[in-house]
Amino acid sequence: MKILLMTLNSKFIHSNLAIKYIERFWRENHEHDHQMIELDVKEYTINNDMDHILRDIHKGRYDAVFASAYIWNIDPLSILFSNFRKINPKSLIIFGGPEVSYDPVDQLAKHSYLDGVICGEGEQTFSKLLIHFSKEGLSLNDVLINGMTTRFHPISAEVMKVDDLDSIPFPYINFNAYENRIVYYESSRGCPYSCSYCLSAASKGVRYFSLERVFGDLDIFLEAKIPQVKFVDRTFNINKKHALPIMEYLVTHDNGITNFHFEITADLLDDDYFNLISKARHGLFQFEIGIQSTNQPTTVAINRPIPFDTLKEKTQTLIQIEKAHVHVDLIAGLPHENFERFLLSFDEVFEIGADQLQLGFLKLLKGTPLYNDKDRYDYTVRMEPPFEVLENKFISFDELTKLKEMEKLVEWFYNSKKFHHSIHYFINKSELKPSGFFLELASYFILNGYFDAPISTYRLYEILSNYYSSKYDDIELFKDLLKFDYYASNLKGQRELFHYEDLPRFNQNRLEILKNDDFVKSFNTQYLGLPPKQILKNVEFITLKYDIMALIQSNYKSAPERLNIVMFDYDETNMTLHGFKAYKIKREEFEGDRYE
């Protein structure tokens, strides 16, 4: 009997942890006793051609197909399996995942191609169903399994949980299939909070893998030198006795390569966390902090009444340690927050100075408390996934449209880090609040039709330069800032926008200065003994009219107008959180004979 376990990821770089757990649980616990079951596991993306996926699945001649459903893939899954059903009328089609777990009866009524729904955590339910198939044959007629809703028993099943998480095997056999993909991991399941917009509000309590188990799993990641492991624990640091030892283990066993991403709540950070993080390698950790709103009536309404002052203080302390990338989140469309109040939330969170500020938009999901209160707040919601809010009694569609335009510019000019210093300088120069700056920039984009077509990264530099020159006279200084940001981002090639000083023997002097061991030792000992031309593959020399590094160090207040040379080092083992290191070189040193 052939069984397929599959999903559609939102992007190629993503992977699906759920189906890997389900596969490993079956293979470790039951496969050897039920060898008539042949299980295949496949991951596609929503960007793949659906006809190709349909043909690929059909070729497998599967007796049953299990698909993991989410808000980002339910529509393409519906198209795929509506057609699959027509050409495979005898195959069973069963969905699981958060998009179907909380209304399985409605899902069966809505989708005629579906035979059943697995509700909640699927490891045990999936295995019990396959055992049933191996003993009784391919039928759901008399199936009565906890966590399973079928057409023969159309009653909403209990959302299942695995009590002993250590009973679930490590999900990865090897990492060959995950090259260039994000590797996901969890050390706990469940969430202590009941945020009214989140599906986690429907399930109470937190369960943990044992620390011994987690340490063993982390050893596998560290030995394999996986570039990034993303913990999907909903609030990683909710239990200090669990979270702190894991972070201590990672600091102690750091392989110098792997980065670990955590979603945390900043209010629970204390000196023990801060002291530990201060001892960590630059970039070992990165943290995502959900602030969502700074408006107290809003945070009370969504069941997250954490004082913003506390979140701000703890987050800024974390940032000031300068060891970890910090990402903060806001959500537009929450109750009691109109357009003006959301802009205030944006400005207050922007002031924190995080590496990224994610401006998200509320999705109203079935199974959440806020969905049940949708009429109370006059929510208008898109009918199709991801069920994003169009407007409510506090904020209009026109206002959310402005925030959408603003969000795109924040992503391009702030979160990308490709305009790190030029955008800060521009905002300071404008004397506008950050929200006001981005709204005015959005108006400029609309006026010139820039939102109407794809824009290259270099074109964004040109547009920002043109916008600046329409408002201020010191355009040459600003172009130098843009040039600094451009090369700091490891973007290559000379560009017409930037001034390039024609220094005598510039290319030859680069090679000469890189021959000197004392100079090389001063910025990166990894290059000692390497030929200069090989070092030049990882470094870049540029000339600037203004002392941009002095401008940056003065918090963008003053920049002497004098020619200087800056060298960028892009070596991954030497980089800071910003992805590069920059060194100012005096012209007389660069042009002199002391390195010859």
Side-chain angles (χ1 to χ4, degrees):
M1 186 179 298
K2 293 191 68 176
I3 307 293
L4 174 64
L5 181 59
M6 61 84 68
T7 194
L8 304 177
N9 296 320
S10 60
K11 296 179 181 178
F12 173 78
I13 63 169
H14 296 163
S15 57
N16 189 284
L17 181 60
I19 64 174
K20 294 303 295 179
Y21 271 132
I22 291 170
E23 176 197 12
R24 297 299 303 141
F25 190 87
W26 166 257
R27 296 198 191 284
E28 289 289 321
N29 294 295
H30 304 289
E31 184 180 40
H32 57 285
D33 295 324
H34 302 275
Q35 296 181 13
M36 64 175 292
I37 299 290
E38 180 183 343
L39 177 62
D40 289 343
V41 179
K42 295 188 176 184
E43 295 184 52
Y44 307 92
T45 80
I46 59 174
N47 300 310
N48 289 135
D49 178 62
M50 288 301 120
D51 282 344
H52 166 74
I53 299 175
L54 177 62
R55 292 192 296 269
D56 192 49
I57 295 175
H58 177 69
K59 288 176 184 176
R61 301 295 191 266
Y62 295 107
D63 298 291
V65 180
F66 293 77
S68 189
Y70 304 84
I71 56 174
W72 63 79
N73 72 7
I74 187 65
D75 277 355
L77 280 177
S78 295
I79 294 170
L80 175 65
F81 285 101
S82 293
N83 290 313
F84 181 82
R85 167 61 71 220
K86 294 174 183 177
I87 56 177
N88 296 275
K90 295 183 179 180
S91 298
L92 291 179
I93 301 172
I94 298 167
F95 279 10
E99 184 54 29
V100 297
S101 283
Y102 297 95
D103 59 346
V105 176
D106 290 345
Q107 293 292 332
L108 289 170
K110 186 188 303 182
H111 303 301
S112 60
Y113 58 81
L114 268 184
D115 295 299
V117 173
I118 292 177
C119 303
E121 297 170 13
E123 290 90 354
Q124 294 173 338
T125 306
F126 176 84
S127 288
K128 288 177 181 178
L129 190 56
L130 262 58
I131 292 170
H132 171 84
F133 289 160
S134 70
K135 293 179 178 180
E136 306 295 335
L138 192 73
S139 172
L140 295 175
N141 291 25
D142 56 350
V143 169
L144 289 172
I145 295 175
N146 289 340
M148 188 77 197
T149 295
T150 71
R151 293 196 177 278
F152 299 99
H153 299 281
I155 300 172
S156 291
E158 178 186 358
V159 175
M160 293 301 294
K161 299 178 182 178
V162 178
D163 293 325
D164 179 13
L165 295 184
D166 282 4
S167 68
I168 305 172
F170 183 71
Y172 303 100
I173 300 175
N174 64 67
F175 296 104
N176 293 335
Y178 294 90
E179 188 175 355
N180 301 318
R181 290 187 177 189
I182 299 172
V183 174
Y184 296 99
Y185 179 72
E186 62 184 356
S187 70
S188 67
R189 289 184 180 177
C191 184
Y193 298 108
S194 299
C195 301
S196 63
Y197 55 83
C198 182
L199 282 172
S200 297
S203 59
K204 307 296 181 183
V206 183
R207 292 154 291 138
Y208 299 93
F209 287 86
S210 69
L211 288 175
E212 182 181 9
R213 160 65 188 273
V214 173
F215 295 159
D217 292 349
L218 295 177
D219 283 340
I220 298 173
F221 291 128
L222 292 166
E223 184 177 350
K225 296 182 178 178
I226 301 300
Q228 183 183 62
V229 176
K230 189 168 184 177
F231 277 66
V232 295
D233 301 50
R234 292 180 178 91
T235 308
F236 173 74
N237 65 324
I238 192 64
N239 182 343
K240 185 177 177 180
K241 292 181 180 178
H242 179 79
L244 195 62
I246 291 174
M247 294 175 64
E248 288 174 337
Y249 191 87
L250 294 175
V251 171
T252 303
H253 295 80
D254 181 19
N255 63 9
I257 295 173
T258 308
N259 162 267
F260 294 89
H261 175 104
F262 304 99
E263 294 183 25
I264 64 170
T265 179
D267 61 302
L268 295 181
L269 296 175
D270 59 18
D271 287 343
D272 290 335
Y273 283 107
F274 294 137
N275 290 336
L276 176 64
I277 293 167
S278 68
K279 299 174 185 175
R281 165 177 56 90
H282 284 277
L284 174 62
F285 299 130
Q286 70 183 49
F287 299 103
E288 184 173 346
I289 299 170
I291 296 176
Q292 320 313 7
S293 173
T294 68
N295 185 36
Q296 186 177 13
T298 299
T299 58
V300 170
I302 62 173
N303 297 324
R304 281 298 292 271
I306 304 170
F308 173 65
D309 288 345
T310 301
L311 291 174
K312 178 179 179 180
E313 177 190 352
K314 296 294 184 71
T315 304
Q316 285 187 318
T317 301
L318 181 60
I319 292 168
Q320 288 162 5
I321 294 173
E322 295 188 332
K323 287 297 185 72
H325 175 98
V326 179
H327 173 133
V328 294
D329 296 333
L330 282 174
I331 297 177
L334 294 172
H336 305 294
E337 190 161 60
N338 61 21
F339 181 70
E340 289 74 21
R341 187 59 187 78
F342 181 82
L343 294 181
L344 178 57
S345 285
F346 180 88
D347 292 332
E348 290 178 330
V349 173
F350 190 93
E351 186 183 335
I352 290 175
D355 296 285
Q356 287 192 332
L357 198 172
Q358 180 72 44
L359 201 171
F361 294 83
L362 180 65
K363 282 81 174 171
L364 214 56
L365 307 178
K366 289 182 180 180
T368 64
L370 192 55
Y371 180 87
N372 298 329
D373 283 341
K374 63 182 183 300
D375 294 336
R376 175 184 173 189
Y377 298 120
D378 294 338
Y379 273 109
T380 302
V381 183
R382 294 183 185 274
M383 294 298 294
E384 72 281 356
F387 311 113
E388 192 170 279
V389 167
L390 293 169
E391 60 184 2
N392 62 28
K393 68 191 297 183
F394 307 102
I395 193 165
S396 69
F397 179 73
D398 286 337
E399 290 168 333
L400 284 172
T401 297
K402 291 182 180 180
L403 295 181
K404 283 276 187 180
E405 294 158 351
M406 177 175 155
E407 181 265 342
K408 185 171 287 189
L409 297 179
V410 170
E411 197 65 32
W412 287 345
F413 290 108
Y414 184 79
N415 290 342
S416 72
K417 292 299 177 186
K418 292 181 171 65
F419 303 83
H420 181 74
H421 297 294
S422 45
I423 205 71
H424 278 291
Y425 179 83
F426 202 160
I427 292 173
N428 290 347
K429 183 90 168 181
S430 73
E431 297 184 350
L432 292 170
K433 296 288 187 181
S435 61
F437 170 82
F438 284 109
L439 287 172
E440 283 199 0
L441 182 57
S443 296
Y444 180 79
F445 266 66
I446 293 168
L447 179 66
N448 290 278
Y450 295 141
F451 283 132
D452 299 336
I455 303 177
S456 69
T457 298
Y458 173 64
R459 181 64 179 139
L460 290 174
Y461 283 89
E462 291 182 319
I463 291 171
L464 195 62
S465 175
N466 292 337
Y467 180 50
Y468 187 91
S469 65
S470 72
K471 301 174 75 68
Y472 305 108
D473 294 330
D474 59 337
I475 184 60
E476 293 304 314
L477 171 61
F478 190 69
K479 283 186 176 181
D480 257 11
L481 264 171
L482 288 171
K483 184 178 181 181
F484 185 93
D485 279 337
Y486 184 86
Y487 286 98
S489 302
N490 199 6
L491 297 171
K492 300 294 187 180
Q494 292 196 3
R495 294 293 188 173
E496 187 177 345
L497 177 63
F498 307 130
H499 170 81
Y500 295 93
E501 188 73 22
D502 187 18
L503 292 180
R505 301 181 73 247
F506 180 80
N507 290 332
Q508 184 62 30
N509 285 337
R510 293 183 310 161
L511 296 172
E512 294 296 338
I513 201 170
L514 291 175
K515 288 180 180 178
N516 184 272
D517 285 346
D518 289 337
F519 175 75
V520 173
K521 191 184 301 182
S522 70
F523 72 92
N524 193 338
T525 57
Q526 299 280 345
Y527 297 146
L528 284 173
L530 295 180
K533 287 186 178 180
Q534 187 171 341
I535 300 174
L536 277 175
K537 293 179 180 179
N538 277 341
V539 303
E540 183 75 65
F541 292 85
I542 65 168
T543 58
L544 296 166
K545 287 184 176 182
Y546 292 83
D547 193 339
I548 295 303
M549 294 186 70
L551 178 68
I552 294 167
Q553 291 163 1
S554 70
N555 199 23
Y556 311 110
K557 290 183 173 59
S558 63
E561 184 176 356
R562 60 167 178 254
L563 179 71
N564 65 106
I565 295 98
V566 172
M567 184 190 73
F568 294 99
D569 179 16
Y570 308 115
D571 176 27
E572 291 184 0
T573 63
N574 192 40
M575 66 175 51
T576 67
L577 290 173
H578 301 299
F580 69 93
K581 280 190 176 180
Y583 303 86
K584 185 165 58 177
I585 305 171
K586 294 180 181 179
R587 180 171 178 175
E588 56 269 25
E589 293 179 337
F590 186 75
E591 295 181 328
D593 60 0
R594 58 180 295 181
Y595 297 113
E596 294 182 358

